[in-house]
Amino acid sequence: MVRALVIGSAAALVATIAGAYFVPTLQRMGIGKAISEEGPQSHQAKAGTPTMGGLLVLAVVAVMTVPTNLFGHPEVLLPLGIMAAAAAVGFADDLLTLQGRERIGGHERSGLVVKALLGAGLGLVAGLVVYYSLDINYVFVPHYGAYDWGVVAIVIASVLVVAATTSSVAISDGLDGLLGGLLVFAFSAYGLIAATQGQGYLSVFCFTVVGALIGFLWFNAHPARVFLGESGALPLGAALATVALMTGWWLLLPVIGVVFVAEMAADLIQIGSFQLRGKRVLKMAPLHHHFELSGWQETQVVTRFWLVGLVGAFLGVALALTD
């Protein structure tokens, strides 16, 4: 655990230093985010803010993992590989949301379908690797212990878990610092869980991600100088689900990621209500925009969502430690 925290701290320092050069580079390259006119009008001032900040996080995770955690622990290649595959799709999506280009909104139905399909495909791969290569064929249930599952059940669960997590994490991105902070809490929770189970390499990976996110948040704090983008949201969501599968505690994802669940549920309710009744339940989806239009300041929404996410992380770790 000490090693995981030290490496995580080093990752935070590296990400902060690298970000001081990376963010201005994005600005010089004109990697500015286009803001949808359908969103809150207050967000129009964010137009042109550099996006693809997730590449900074992923680069730091890779650079720190190879020398400190890869040798002797080939298992860490699974979350790294999942992140790389999702990052490629996220990068392509980000290119379509730059200023001056034809925009395809990440929260439109077509975007949600693509994210779900991506998650399902990655989940299939993760499930097969977890079962056959890592020999993880069990699921933990709080208080009741581990239950052995067959390959079919594991693969189906993996597809659903990765698809749902990837989509819900991507939906939760939209306010300065919101997603980055929530992911810090979620990966910290699973890092603690992995440490208690003797999965030291997985704990180190989780806290490496946490450190990289902390460095990114230095520049993403309100008013943000850079956005995470889909090149960060998609791979980090997929990696979080993969880590949950590797610990066997994926049933705790709805608790640890309670804000992600709320964001996804609100989006689905909004779409379903409009399709069936022609009426919208929320003032605007995703859920964080609803609270903005209800009178909350952006920083209030972020802080309060963080608090809910932190409580969920606490509760998730507590449930994992329940005898």
Side-chain angles (χ1 to χ4, degrees):
M1 187 64 191
V2 172
R3 185 167 177 269
L5 293 175
V6 170
I7 293 174
S9 299
L13 179 61
V14 171
T16 305
I17 294 173
Y21 297 93
F22 180 71
V23 174
T25 300
L26 290 177
Q27 292 173 329
R28 287 194 298 271
M29 294 175 64
I31 310 294
K33 178 79 171 180
I35 305 299
S36 173
E37 295 181 358
E38 298 177 359
Q41 289 303 305
S42 60
H43 284 221
Q44 293 305 312
K46 300 174 182 283
T49 301
T51 187
M52 299 187 188
L55 296 178
L56 170 66
V57 177
L58 303 184
V60 171
V61 171
V63 167
M64 294 297 296
T65 297
V66 171
T68 66
N69 199 24
L70 182 58
F71 299 104
H73 303 291
E75 304 96 325
V76 81
L77 287 173
L78 177 57
L80 279 178
I82 292 292
M83 288 175 70
V89 176
F91 179 78
D93 186 87
D94 279 339
L95 287 177
L96 294 171
T97 64
L98 298 182
Q99 280 189 321
R101 302 195 182 189
E102 182 181 356
R103 186 174 190 279
I104 297 179
H107 298 310
E108 294 174 1
R109 266 174 278 174
S110 58
L112 291 176
V113 171
V114 170
K115 293 177 181 65
L117 292 176
L118 169 68
L122 295 177
L124 176 62
V125 173
L128 292 173
V129 173
V130 163
Y131 189 88
Y132 286 111
S133 297
L134 304 186
D135 198 28
I136 299 174
N137 54 7
Y138 50 84
V139 56
F140 284 115
V141 180
H143 183 70
Y144 294 100
Y147 289 84
D148 195 345
W149 277 26
V151 61
V152 175
I154 288 292
V155 169
I156 291 176
S158 299
V159 168
L160 294 175
V161 167
V162 178
T165 305
T166 303
S167 297
S168 60
V169 167
I171 289 172
S172 303
D173 193 18
L175 301 183
D176 296 351
L178 176 59
L179 181 55
L182 292 173
L183 287 171
V184 164
F185 302 145
F187 274 103
S188 294
Y190 274 107
L192 290 171
I193 291 172
T196 63
Q197 297 183 165
Q199 294 174 297
Y201 73 93
L202 196 56
S203 180
V204 169
F205 174 80
C206 287
F207 281 104
T208 301
V209 175
V210 169
L213 282 166
I214 290 173
F216 165 76
L217 282 168
W218 183 268
F219 306 96
N220 184 237
H222 183 76
R225 292 175 55 194
V226 65
F227 296 145
L228 192 63
E230 297 294 75
S231 54
L234 294 183
L236 289 169
L240 177 63
T242 302
V243 165
L245 291 169
M246 292 172 71
T247 63
W249 281 106
W250 53 267
L251 284 178
L252 292 180
L253 263 173
V255 179
I256 293 173
V258 59
V259 176
F260 303 142
V261 174
E263 292 269 24
M264 171 65 85
D267 235 38
L268 294 176
I269 291 172
Q270 182 83 330
I271 294 172
S273 176
F274 185 75
Q275 292 295 322
L276 296 175
R277 302 168 55 236
K279 299 180 180 179
R280 292 180 172 84
V281 177
L282 304 175
K283 294 183 178 180
M284 181 178 290
L287 186 61
H288 48 263
H289 288 332
H290 167 77
F291 284 105
E292 275 192 288
L293 295 182
S294 297
W296 291 14
Q297 296 297 314
E298 179 175 355
T299 51
Q300 288 180 305
V301 178
V302 171
T303 302
R304 289 167 179 171
F305 276 38
W306 276 6
L307 294 175
V308 174
L310 184 58
V311 172
F314 284 165
L315 183 56
V317 173
L319 289 172
L321 297 178
T322 302
D323 294 326

